[in-house]
Every structure is written in C-alpha cells, then in structure tokens.
Amino acid sequence: DVVSQYVHAVDLLACRRCEKVNEGAGLPARRKHHSLSVDLKIGEWDFNAIEVDQQRHGHVLQVVGFELLRPFIFFPTETLTAFLEKVESRYDASIPYHSHVHAADMCNSFFYLITKCGLWRTCEIPEVSYAAMLIAALGHDIGHFGRTNMFLITERHELAITYNDRSIMESFHASSLVRCTEEAKDGVNLFQQCPA
C-alpha cells in the first residue's frame, strides 16, 4: 500500500537516532529523520493537497498524517499506518469539499500556522496533546456525506435524532474518529502506548 511505500522511502533516508526532547520534563524521545516533506512541501503554506493527492494516487491524508505524526515515538509505525489508512478510507472522495484532500490540507495549514506562531511544542502540555491536535485536524470531517446540520434536522435524519439536533455532524465526526483510534490495527488502540 501507499503508506508502506512511503515509510520505506523515508526509512531509506532516515537517521535512526533519537534525540531527547525536553529531557528535564520527562517527555519521550522523538524520532529524528530526514523526510520527503521538503519535496512535497508538507508543513509549508504553499503545500498543494490536490497535487500531492494526484501524485500519491489518492492518498494525501495518509502521507501528510504519517509525516506529521511520525516524530511521536509512542505510535508504533504499523498501528499508525493502519490508523491513517482507516481514517482516509472513511472519507468519501466523491464529496467535493469535505474530502480526505480537504482534511490533509486543513491539517497541514493548522500545523503551519501553529508552528509559525511559535506555539508548536513550546507550551507545557503533554506530547500526546500535540499528537491529538494533528489527529483531530485529520479527522475533523471524517465520514462527511455532504449534508448540513439544518438539512439533517429538517429531514429528521437518524443522526439528528441521535445527537438531539445539536452539532450533529461535528458530533458524528468526533465519534467516528474516536472509533478509528480505538480500532487502529487489529483492535489495538492508537493511543495504547502513549504516556499517561
């Protein structure tokens, strides 16, 4: 699959050494690696999600997600790649806007802005919280089927009833993303090895 090929390509270029991050704060070591993100402009404002999606045969979310989440060593590579594949598969590529391409673009834009503002990994919050921000960005529209909350309320859609007509799609996206983290690979929770 595409992520395995990407992982292999990155591994060929990667330094397998680890550096300590905020050692005094007891944070875990991060993988230090050379990446393909420079060529793809991941983490930059001029990143083109549509172009990368075409280059990577419809898998831009997996590529962006892997590149940005790879430094967090508490995500085993196999579990992370299975999780990203699952998240991307839950987006409907036929939806013109709320697709996996939009999710990858939004995640990249979030990462760029928070980095340029000097807030990335400068606050005293656990490493897992930084990872969760990226995961939330990747899954913020997961499962979107192209209808608005008002449409669902008017039609008395099952989701409108389930979520009591309040933030219907947002609640659905959050619930769907949590399910993906809990079943990342063979029933293994993506956050299973995260520090408490």
Side-chain angles (χ1 to χ4, degrees):
D1 71 358
V2 75
V3 174
S4 297
Q5 293 171 1
Y6 181 75
V7 170
H8 180 68
V10 170
D11 283 344
L12 291 176
L13 301 171
C15 298
R16 297 307 264 164
R17 295 172 283 133
C18 290
E19 66 177 351
K20 293 288 182 183
V21 175
N22 295 334
E23 194 170 79
L27 297 175
R30 290 173 32 208
R31 294 183 190 113
K32 184 174 181 142
H33 65 283
H34 174 70
S35 68
L36 300 177
S37 64
V38 174
D39 296 334
L40 300 178
K41 297 185 179 179
I42 295 172
E44 298 299 324
W45 188 250
D46 56 349
F47 169 74
N48 186 331
I50 295 170
E51 186 178 290
V52 172
D53 193 56
Q54 291 168 349
Q55 291 171 357
R56 301 298 174 180
H57 309 290
H59 298 292
V60 66
L61 185 145
Q62 292 181 55
V63 172
V64 169
F66 185 79
E67 185 61 33
L68 297 179
L69 291 168
R70 182 172 199 222
F72 298 96
I73 64 164
F74 43 77
F75 293 138
T77 301
E78 286 184 13
T79 306
L80 178 60
T81 56
F83 166 75
L84 292 169
E85 186 177 329
K86 185 172 286 195
V87 169
E88 189 170 68
S89 74
R90 302 270 168 95
Y91 277 95
D92 184 346
S94 71
I95 301 296
Y97 182 72
H98 296 95
S99 68
H100 68 288
V101 177
H102 162 69
D105 191 41
M106 186 272 179
C107 182
N108 185 77
S109 296
F110 165 76
F111 180 75
Y112 172 83
L113 291 172
I114 199 167
T115 301
K116 291 301 177 190
C117 289
L119 297 174
W120 186 248
R121 290 196 157 144
T122 60
C123 304
E124 292 188 29
I125 61 174
E127 282 284 283
V128 69
S129 296
Y130 287 106
M133 290 179 208
L134 296 173
I135 289 168
L138 290 169
H140 79 279
D141 274 335
I142 192 170
H144 206 296
F145 48 90
R147 298 291 184 253
T148 65
N149 287 336
M150 188 54 66
F151 175 87
L152 299 177
I153 292 167
T154 303
E155 292 296 312
R156 298 305 305 146
H157 190 277
E158 181 181 329
L159 289 177
I161 295 166
T162 299
Y163 296 114
N164 200 26
D165 295 341
R166 292 200 171 111
S167 304
I168 301 159
M169 290 303 293
E170 295 76 13
S171 297
F172 171 68
H173 301 318
S175 172
S176 298
L177 184 59
V178 168
R179 283 190 186 96
C180 285
T181 64
E182 290 177 346
E183 306 161 356
K185 179 173 174 32
D186 301 326
V188 175
N189 187 315
L190 178 66
F191 292 99
Q192 185 173 3
Q193 295 184 19
C194 293

